[in-house]
Amino acid sequence: MKAIVYRETGDPSVLQLVDRPVLEPGPDEVRVRIVVSGVNPTDWKSRRGAAPGQALPFDDVVPGQDGAGIVEAIGSDVQHVSVGDRVWLALAAYQRASSGTSQEATVLPAERVFALPANASFDQGASLGVPAITAYRALTVAEDGPDRLHPTALADKVVLVAGGAGAVGHAAIQLARWAGATVITTVSGPAKAALATAAGAEHVFTYTDADIVEQIRQIAPDGVDLIVEVAPAQNSDLDLAVIRNRGSIAVYANNGGDLVTLDVRRHFALNVRYQFVLLYTVGSDAIRAAAEAINVALDDGALAVGDETGLPLHRFDLAHTSDAHAMVEGGAVGKVLIDVTAE
């Protein structure tokens, strides 16, 4: 089979197309033929490492945390999927050399494989994983909010999604709306505002507006209940100005800087909760709970992808995975997918 590997850290040129044997799954593993692979910022950041040429934990690595495909073989202890099932994958490459989705078939732990609902496409499945589970986690960490999402779970809440045109922001908008929330989002300009509106955000504002606090407070006079935050360093003052008493700020990225300055006294006064979100260490129970709810949302028609829903798709074939990585690393708006095998 064909696979993409890298043997040292560096720019996209370190990615190589090679031939590798098809492996058999162990007792608690699943082999999936990959139809579509999704590319995320975490993929190029892992490939870059701390510096070019940095030693890897394995001789070579197959990249790709997310993807969707068809089960080809299962281990003796696997019960939740069967051969022939359509599935989506999450964290496929985490701490494994050969399980990434940038290859024609992958063997990975069964707990990272989830049934893909019949009404969901492989493009949707490959676009879930890191973005959708991150968004789900961010929406379920509030002190007095739900720990599981369903169509009325956020019915009385106002959610602010920072950066609503990104992949996580897009999923957060869709999941929050599906769960009944009033959704506000902030973006950088008209083009991204159109994407966030298409995703379902009811109130879309430009974060550089001088009266951004007043605009948000008109929608949420008592403050927003939950902020899904992509740029905590840049947005800390805004977040504090619009969060309600006992509100929560869920931080899933460090866009704009690694260091955040907080006004301790004002945060004290509001009992604000900061919750940081990283899927790699959140635990399998949280991942599984998110996947179960995400599948319900998919069944209900949520989490659509494509231009008309605010998440443009950019496609490459497996041989051009380096171009896909370069596009994501360059800040592409939308979702970058790799067509690996035919459906």
Side-chain angles (χ1 to χ4, degrees), residues 1-7 12-20 60-63 101-105 317-323 338-341:
M1 68 170 184
K2 299 294 183 182
I4 297 293
V5 302
Y6 61 96
R7 298 184 171 92
S13 66
V14 301
L15 298 171
Q16 302 174 36
L17 181 67
V18 301
D19 288 305
R20 303 187 74 161
D60 54 28
V61 174
V62 178
T101 59
S102 296
Q103 57 185 331
E104 293 179 331
D317 60 22
L318 189 63
H320 291 88
T321 296
S322 61
D323 294 330
I338 298 171
D339 294 308
V340 182
T341 68

Side-chain angles (χ1 to χ4, degrees), residues 163-166 173 185-199 204 207 310 331-334:
I173 291 169
T185 190
T186 54
V187 295
S188 60
K192 290 186 177 180
L195 296 176
T197 300
V204 182
Y207 64 80
V333 176

Side-chain angles (χ1 to χ4, degrees), residues 16-322:
Q16 302 174 36
L17 181 67
V18 301
D19 288 305
R20 303 187 74 161
V22 176
L23 303 177
E24 294 301 317
D28 196 29
E29 294 181 328
V30 177
R31 188 174 78 230
V32 177
R33 176 169 64 83
I34 301 298
V35 176
V36 181
S37 174
V39 185
N40 298 296
T42 190
D43 297 316
W44 72 256
K45 290 175 183 177
S46 295
R47 187 207 71 233
R48 281 277 181 185
Q54 179 186 32
L56 298 173
F58 308 102
D59 291 338
D60 54 28
V61 174
V62 178
Q65 300 291 355
D66 297 345
I70 299 170
V71 175
E72 287 189 328
I74 60 173
S76 57
D77 296 336
V78 177
Q79 299 181 355
H80 72 291
V81 293
S82 302
V83 172
D85 285 353
R86 301 164 71 251
V87 294
W88 59 279
L89 315 178
L91 302 184
Y94 179 52
Q95 294 184 331
R96 292 174 70 91
S98 303
S99 294
T101 59
S102 296
Q103 57 185 331
E104 293 179 331
T106 181
V107 173
L108 72 167
E111 65 180 10
R112 305 183 192 184
V113 180
F114 309 100
L116 183 64
N119 65 329
S121 68
F122 286 116
D123 286 355
Q124 284 176 278
S127 301
L128 297 172
V130 170
I133 297 177
T134 297
Y136 182 92
R137 175 70 176 170
L139 292 168
T140 53
V141 296
E143 177 182 3
D144 50 6
D147 58 6
R148 294 204 52 134
L149 296 186
H150 53 78
T152 60
L154 296 172
D156 60 343
K157 306 295 184 183
V158 179
V159 174
L160 170 60
V161 179
V168 176
H170 179 266
I173 291 169
Q174 292 182 316
L175 286 171
R177 284 299 309 277
W178 170 70
T182 297
V183 178
I184 304 168
T185 190
T186 54
V187 295
S188 60
K192 290 186 177 180
L195 296 176
T197 300
E202 297 151 290
H203 308 281
V204 182
F205 302 127
T206 303
Y207 64 80
T208 54
D209 286 350
D211 63 344
I212 183 64
V213 173
E214 289 75 16
Q215 292 181 69
I216 293 172
R217 283 284 183 174
Q218 285 182 358
I219 308 303
D222 296 326
V224 300
D225 298 281
L226 174 65
I227 299 173
V228 181
E229 185 55 78
V230 66
Q234 292 176 320
N235 294 336
S236 59
D237 289 342
L238 172 61
D239 292 345
L240 179 57
V242 301
I243 196 72
R244 70 160 171 83
N245 185 56
R246 293 177 61 200
S248 294
I249 302 169
V251 177
Y252 69 88
N254 61 342
N255 293 7
D258 291 331
L259 299 178
V260 181
T261 299
L262 301 178
D263 185 322
V264 175
R265 288 182 179 273
R266 292 177 63 196
H267 283 87
F268 272 156
L270 289 172
N271 287 276
V272 174
R273 168 183 289 196
Y274 264 86
Q275 173 71 55
F276 292 86
V277 176
L278 181 66
L279 294 193
Y280 296 122
T281 53
V282 75
S284 59
D285 289 346
I287 299 292
R288 182 171 57 254
E292 290 171 356
I294 285 167
N295 272 357
V296 176
L298 287 168
D299 275 328
D300 286 347
L303 294 168
V305 299
D307 289 345
E308 66 281 2
T309 66
L311 192 71
L313 302 180
H314 311 281
R315 315 194 77 96
F316 296 84
D317 60 22
L318 189 63
H320 291 88
T321 296
S322 61

